[in-house]
Amino acid sequence: MKPRWAALAAAVIAGLSLCTAAPASAAPSVKPPVVKCTFTPTPDNPAARPVLRPLPFALTRGTIDVTFHYNYGPVTVRLNSGGAAPCAVANMASLVLQHFYDRSQCWRLTNSARLGVLQCGDIYEVEKGGPGYKFPDEVTGAETYERGTVAMGNQGPGTNGSEFFIVHSFAHIPANYSVLGKVVRGMDVLDRIVAAGIIPSERGPLDGLPAKPVRIERVSFGF
């Protein structure tokens, strides 16, 4: 057990060191600097790849830049630990540190009047192949999902794991999905993915596999 906890502690420390402190001039926050997180094992849905659960806390300050190196090009997202979903941010940072997303495929692309997103993070297929645990939603009810928003995907309340989506146009959906942050570089990459088309599915002609496979080759911190 000690090597596993040592590895996890090292990952957490590395992740925390990447967080940027809030400017001194910023208004005081009512949030505590650290919040408790609950990551619950899902034995009926085991991990698609071996990963450690994050430690049960998260910072509520600063940002973390993460770059997804797609086969189409790099997309950098700025994860906001100071937003409504610090545990979701800590979770994604942990999965990036453990290379969970490397060499994975994005199984869903939508471009309808209601929903325009690229969904990634599942290892096997749409909504199958998570990290072997789940954690609660972190939403205020005021969430919006405009172009560039990065949010957790789920299969119902409290089922967050590794799945996430990036909004390439807009998403007219209920505020049920924890917002992680925003794309700060690479929206043109998303536009090229959308322009390549969608393979129709039972969900509709504009909701299915990307016509040209979209792969996350690797994920790194920073630009």
Side-chain angles (χ1 to χ4, degrees), residues 143-147 149 151 165 167 170-171 173-179:
E143 283 77 10
T144 58
Y145 306 95
E146 64 272 8
R147 176 174 165 87
T149 299
F165 62 86
V167 182
F170 45 75
I173 54 179
N176 296 334
Y177 305 90
S178 304
V179 173

Side-chain angles (χ1 to χ4, degrees), residues 49-206:
R49 292 176 173 175
V51 290
L52 298 169
R53 280 179 286 156
L55 288 178
F57 61 83
L59 293 180
T60 62
R61 304 285 190 275
T63 60
I64 307 172
D65 289 343
V66 171
T67 297
F68 292 88
H69 299 269
Y70 290 97
N71 55 318
Y72 277 80
V75 176
T76 301
V77 303
R78 182 156 293 157
L79 306 177
N80 182 15
S81 298
C87 294
V89 170
N91 173 70
M92 178 168 279
S94 174
L95 292 175
V96 170
L97 282 164
Q98 298 181 77
H99 305 286
F100 182 87
Y101 295 119
D102 293 4
R103 300 175 306 281
S104 65
Q105 188 166 336
C106 299
W107 302 102
R108 186 183 184 191
L109 179 64
T110 71
N111 193 27
S112 69
R114 183 185 76 90
L115 186 65
V117 304
L118 174 68
Q119 182 175 306
C120 308
D122 298 306
I123 301 303
Y124 301 138
E125 59 181 271
V126 174
E127 299 184 350
K128 291 186 179 180
Y133 59 82
K134 63 183 179 179
F135 60 97
D137 304 318
E138 297 169 280
V139 294
T140 66
E143 283 77 10
T144 58
Y145 306 95
E146 64 272 8
R147 176 174 165 87
T149 299
V150 183
M152 294 299 300
N154 60 48
Q155 293 83 58
T159 59
N160 301 286
S162 57
E163 181 185 300
F164 67 94
F165 62 86
I166 304 176
V167 182
H168 61 75
S169 57
F170 45 75
H172 300 308
I173 54 179
N176 296 334
Y177 305 90
S178 304
V179 173
L180 294 159
K182 296 277 292 185
V183 173
V184 294
R185 181 187 67 163
M187 285 306 301
D188 59 312
V189 174
L190 274 295
D191 293 338
R192 291 199 301 274
I193 291 171
V194 175
I198 299 170
I199 298 174
S201 73
E202 68 278 1
R203 293 186 299 272
L206 297 175

